[in-house]
Amino acid sequence: MRVRAYYDRRPGVPVFEAREGEAWIVVSLDRPPSAQGGVHEQRGCVALVVSDPTAMPSLLPARCHVTVAFPAEVLQGIGLEDVGALALDVGSALFWPFLSFAWVCATGESRQTGLTLYYTERLLQEMVAGIVVASLRGGHARSADQGYAAALSIIAARVGDPDLTPAAVAAELNTSLRSLQRRFASRATTMDRSIRKARVAYAVSLLEDPLYRSLTIERIAHACGLANGSSLARAFAAEGLAAPAVVRATASRPR
């Protein structure tokens, strides 16, 4: 992930470097964020999540901007890969803690390495998914497609939670489990399968990233919400993948 903070940018001037395979959160505000994030700050803040740089509108006149670039797979995992540009709910409970944390990451002088960087990036990604979920839930009544996307967004946001179950997702969306299961069935899948697929995809991303080579298979299983390495291996097999250790070894071979 790449986090940047800018002061006094002119409207229409890009404040991010677009890279293939990335999505962005762009925030324009009239003052640097505070930890409190009061209502008076919300009035001077506009936030967007963008999956297509061509959909980026001109920046509003503002004293400062914050941009967070992250893997587009984060949005694809919650069914919003074609979002273009979506306004975020700056009044949600998670938005201001996220913005304050992102601001500190962008303006801090110390460089993070190793496990500290791993946990920082993981927390930022979970916050990104969380504020998108909050924005989806904060709207009006959802269509079937929106309900399905909102369920995927919760799965992506809680992929590391061992208590993530279909019933927990339904409770988050304040809908019946049976109704939600029908939406997944109409797409030839199930909620359990979608949860497993999200956990496996997250595990693969960690196994293939050299930055996390020091993490054991057991630790990666825990990070993905699974009990142990054996559970992770069974999930990989169910998705037609080789064992986690083999996936890691294959990724580390010179190409």
Side-chain angles (χ1 to χ4, degrees), residues 1-7 15 25 33 64-69 98-112 120 124:
M1 300 187 73
R2 292 180 293 117
V3 187
R4 300 286 186 270
Y6 305 87
Y7 286 95
V15 296
I25 284 182
C64 50
H65 298 87
V66 178
T67 64
V68 180
F98 157 76
L99 184 58
S100 300
F101 183 52
W103 184 268
V104 170
C105 290
T107 58
E109 296 181 358
S110 61
R111 298 181 64 87
Q112 301 185 58
T120 299
L124 280 170

Side-chain angles (χ1 to χ4, degrees), residues 12-253:
V13 177
V15 296
F16 63 92
E17 176 189 355
R19 295 181 185 176
E20 185 177 356
E22 285 186 339
W24 306 268
I25 284 182
V26 180
V27 184
S28 302
L29 60 165
D30 60 6
R31 71 188 71 181
S34 70
Q36 289 75 27
V39 175
H40 65 284
E41 291 183 285
Q42 296 176 20
R43 294 175 181 171
C45 178
V46 176
L48 302 171
V49 59
V50 183
S51 64
D52 180 359
T54 63
M56 174 66 70
S58 298
L59 293 173
L60 298 176
R63 283 193 56 201
C64 50
H65 298 87
V66 178
T67 64
V68 180
F70 55 93
E73 288 85 353
V74 174
L75 292 181
Q76 293 170 0
I78 58 181
L80 293 175
E81 60 270 23
D82 298 321
V83 69
L86 171 72
L88 294 175
D89 179 9
V90 300
S92 71
L94 187 57
F95 180 80
W96 285 98
F98 157 76
L99 184 58
S100 300
F101 183 52
W103 184 268
V104 170
C105 290
T107 58
E109 296 181 358
S110 61
R111 298 181 64 87
Q112 301 185 58
T113 58
L115 286 179
T116 303
L117 181 60
Y118 159 69
Y119 282 111
T120 299
E121 289 194 345
R122 180 181 172 191
L123 180 57
L124 280 170
Q125 285 199 22
E126 290 180 349
M127 283 182 154
V128 165
I131 59 178
V132 172
V133 171
S135 297
L136 284 172
R137 293 181 63 189
H140 299 290
R142 291 180 296 272
S143 67
D145 286 341
Q146 290 172 323
Y148 173 73
L152 289 180
S153 69
I154 290 173
I155 291 172
R158 296 180 56 184
V159 69
D161 184 355
D163 295 325
L164 176 62
T165 63
V169 175
E172 285 261 5
L173 292 175
N174 194 28
T175 189
S176 72
L177 176 58
R178 182 172 297 181
S179 172
L180 204 53
Q181 287 173 329
R182 283 198 298 267
R183 293 177 184 178
F184 279 76
S186 68
R187 292 164 175 80
T189 188
T190 67
M191 295 181 66
D192 284 311
R193 192 177 305 158
S194 297
I195 291 172
R196 184 184 66 212
K197 183 177 180 180
R199 294 196 197 279
V200 168
Y202 185 43
V204 168
S205 70
L206 296 179
L207 289 167
E208 293 182 341
D209 194 328
L211 184 63
Y212 308 130
R213 195 69 47 78
S214 61
L215 293 179
T216 65
I217 300 296
E218 197 84 0
R219 183 66 190 87
I220 287 177
H222 294 163
C224 298
L226 297 173
N228 48 48
S230 297
S231 299
L232 185 62
R234 288 194 294 272
F236 271 50
E239 290 296 320
L241 299 178
V246 175
V247 172
R248 169 174 275 175
T250 303
S252 64
R253 291 173 187 163

